[in-house]
Every structure is written in structure tokens, then in C-alpha cells.
Amino acid sequence: MSDTGKDVDRVGDGTRAVRAGLPEPVKHEPTLPGPVFAAHFHLPGEVTGPYAYGRDDNPTWTLLERAIGELEAPGRDDVETLVFASGMAAISSVLFSQLRAGDAVVLPSDGYQALPLVRSQLEAYGIEVRTAPTGGDAQLEVLDGARLLWIESPSNPGLDVCDIRRLAGAAHAKGALVAVDNTLATPLGQRPLELGADFSVASGTKQLTGHGDLLLGYVTGRDSEAMAAVRRWRKIVGAISGPMEAWLAHRSIATLQLRVDRQNATALAVAEALRQRPEVSGLRHPGLPEDPAHKVAAQQMRRYGCVVSFTLPTRARAERFLEALHLVEDATSFGGVRSTAERRGRWGGDPVPEGFIRMSVGAEDPEDLVADVLRALDESAD
């Protein structure tokens, strides 16, 4: 079978990741077929079958979409997954396919820095945009009359968490759809559809594929009518993944559990080391027992993520720290096997202090990475 068999709910995450989306075995054929490069397919007579034109569908996408669906909603046949050219393409597909002029949408005020750009475009189309912070389930206060609730938990870059099940229940009671940006958690960290969401949306650019060498996004949804609208939006806009990127993504998913477990454990070790440093403030990681988000995160997350955020006293100190690191690249994005960190204030789109650092922990040996971070803190001191 293409999934892990009839006992799909009883296998481990590693087994599921390794087997996800594979086709039925055929003698002399590869286990994972190579990418299909085709703008068009043979199509004599009437238009029937799944593959006609490369903007509509591709066999390589089909296998990847099946794999992601098996991770986001194992054992369920009533969900559909669609892949996109990037995470923002996936986000846009949900927002612009589900909302009309006169609708209201609730976005997180502390979410991904591109959301303010999205807000401007939504408002230009006559859509009311309301915002509230992720923490404390504050979005509940602005739900009345909304068509769609957009949740980002954990939030990027502040790592706040909300009670997804609670918000989803409240939103549905008020007639709103619910979408959860699951990028930071990955399907191995939490499954938004099981928590009541209608859509799980993510950037596969990040930890899902984990090597920092491709752009990808996806939407997994459980409502066939809503997903048909998302598919139609993808067709209209043409925000499609290339077959090579889709194949690389599927190949990379096989190591997802190995990478996630290593990176998450090391991220917690880094966070524990940072909390001993007097120059560090605002330390956040949902896996820390004292973190404000830990109680809620522990109820809905199975893994806490590979990102740690913290603040150093000044912009200059943060820049010296980043320059002193040997094993951590100064780069944006997160989730890769090589650790990265950046001073988020340099982009100008996040409401964070000048010395705020977002660090993405990679797959290096934990003791080496912790030592590098502590040494860089020492060397960057005034």
C-alpha cells in the first residue's frame, strides 16, 4: 500500500515518514519514481483521467501530496493536500479563495512578517482585517462575524502558542472557517486538523524538507468544497511547484522524524543553556517548562520545534554575537540541518527589540552547538 498499511494509526512517525506517499511497488521500477517533467500529456479524444496539462496536475505532485496528507492526517481518506510554489503561495490560496468583499478575517498580530503585506491586499479587495496576538487566545475577542480565522501557533518569530482546539470550536460556533499555519511545528509536532482546523497550511521550505535548497508550500484540508476553491485558485494563479522541487521534497520527508527529533532536542539544550546567561532576556521555547506557552503547547503538541528566540541588550551586541558564531550561519528562514540565526529587526517587519535573535537549531552535535553559542556570547560581551 502507498501508506504504512492497514494499521496506519499504530506505526511510529519514523515509519510513516519513510513510507509516506510511495506508490505500489512494481518490479524493476524505483521505489520513489523520479520527477516527471511535462508541460502536457498525451490526451487523445475526450478529456478524462488526472493528467492533461502541467499547470493542473503532475504525477510527482500527486505522490508528494499523498505523503504530506498521510503525515497531517494519518488514516483519513476525507482530506486533500495541494502543493504550491512556496509557503506564501499556499497561504494566499486559502485567504483569497475563501474570502470575498465584505467578509472579515482574523489574523495574528504577531505572525509571519509577510502578513501585513497580505493585510494591505485583502483590504484593497474590500475585506475587513482584524488582528489580535496569538498568546492568551486573544483572537477569540475579535471573532464575531468573521468568515475566517487564521492561526499561527507557535507564532513566528515570538513562539507564542494558542489553544487551537478552543479557538477552532469557538470559530465554528460563530460560522467561521479555521486555518492553522503549521510551519514551525511540522506535522510531527502537531496535527491541526485533529485539533479542529479546516485547513493546515505550511511552508515546506522550512523543516518539512529541511535542507534549505527548495521553496514549497502546501494546504491540507478536510472540506471538499473549500479545497476545490483552493485548487481553482492554484490553477488561476499558476503558483505551482516544479517537479524537481516536489521530488526533492518527497525524498527529504523520509528523514523528517530523524531530523525533527535531533533538532528539537538540541534546541531545548540550547534554550536551557541560554537561560543561565544574565545578558539574555525574553528567552522563548515552548519546550521549556517555565515558558509562558508550555502548558498549552504540552496539551496539543507532540514536539516543540527547532526554533529558539531571545533578546540581547543592544543591536550592536546581537550583531557581534552573530559574527562570533562558528557553527551557526547568519541567514533567514529556519528548519534546516545547518543551524542559522539572525537579528530579526534588520527586516523591519516584526515588532521585536533591536537585539532580538531568532535561532534555528540544526543537526549538529548538541554539545558542539551549545559550546559555540556560549563562546560567542562570551566573545561578544562589551
Side-chain angles (χ1 to χ4, degrees), residues 1-6 8 15-25 31-32 62-63 65-68 70-71 77 250:
M1 296 181 66
S2 62
D3 58 23
T4 52
K6 295 181 180 179
V8 66
T15 301
R16 185 175 292 114
V18 167
R19 304 292 306 172
L22 297 182
E24 294 286 351
T31 304
L32 177 62
T62 299
L63 296 180
E65 289 168 345
R66 186 187 302 164
I68 294 171
E70 289 170 10
L71 296 177
D77 297 324
H250 197 169

Side-chain angles (χ1 to χ4, degrees), residues 49-196:
Y51 306 113
Y53 186 61
R55 190 181 69 249
D56 298 334
D57 239 322
N58 177 288
T60 310
W61 303 350
T62 299
L63 296 180
L64 174 60
E65 289 168 345
R66 186 187 302 164
I68 294 171
E70 289 170 10
L71 296 177
E72 284 279 356
R76 289 183 57 170
D77 297 324
D78 60 339
V79 302
E80 180 180 2
T81 297
L82 298 170
V83 295
F84 290 82
S86 68
M88 280 308 302
I91 289 170
S92 299
S93 76
V94 174
L95 291 170
F96 292 105
S97 71
Q98 304 303 314
L99 297 170
R100 303 288 184 273
D103 286 343
V105 60
V106 177
L107 302 179
S109 59
D110 54 344
Y112 181 51
Q113 67 172 194
L115 289 182
L117 299 176
V118 174
R119 175 176 186 164
S120 297
Q121 193 61 57
L122 289 168
E123 290 175 337
Y125 289 157
I127 297 164
E128 178 189 355
V129 179
R130 307 170 189 167
T131 62
T134 299
D137 298 345
Q139 290 175 298
L140 286 172
E141 300 173 9
V142 291
L143 269 179
D144 284 351
R147 164 67 178 160
L148 176 67
L149 167 63
W150 190 274
I151 294 170
E152 191 175 299
S153 182
S155 62
N156 174 28
L159 303 183
D160 257 329
V161 169
C162 63
D163 187 333
I164 295 173
R165 191 181 299 278
R166 180 188 181 203
L167 265 68
H172 289 154
K174 295 177 182 292
L177 294 168
V178 178
V180 175
D181 187 328
N182 204 34
T183 303
L184 214 148
T186 81
L188 300 195
Q190 69 188 7
R191 297 177 186 147
L193 300 187
E194 291 182 358
L195 297 171

Side-chain angles (χ1 to χ4, degrees), residues 7 13 41 52 75 121 130 132 138 177 182 212 240-241 320 331 349 365 369:
D7 296 328
D13 287 335
F41 301 81
Q121 193 61 57
R130 307 170 189 167
L177 294 168
N182 204 34
I240 59 172
S241 170
R320 291 197 303 271
D365 287 315
L369 192 58

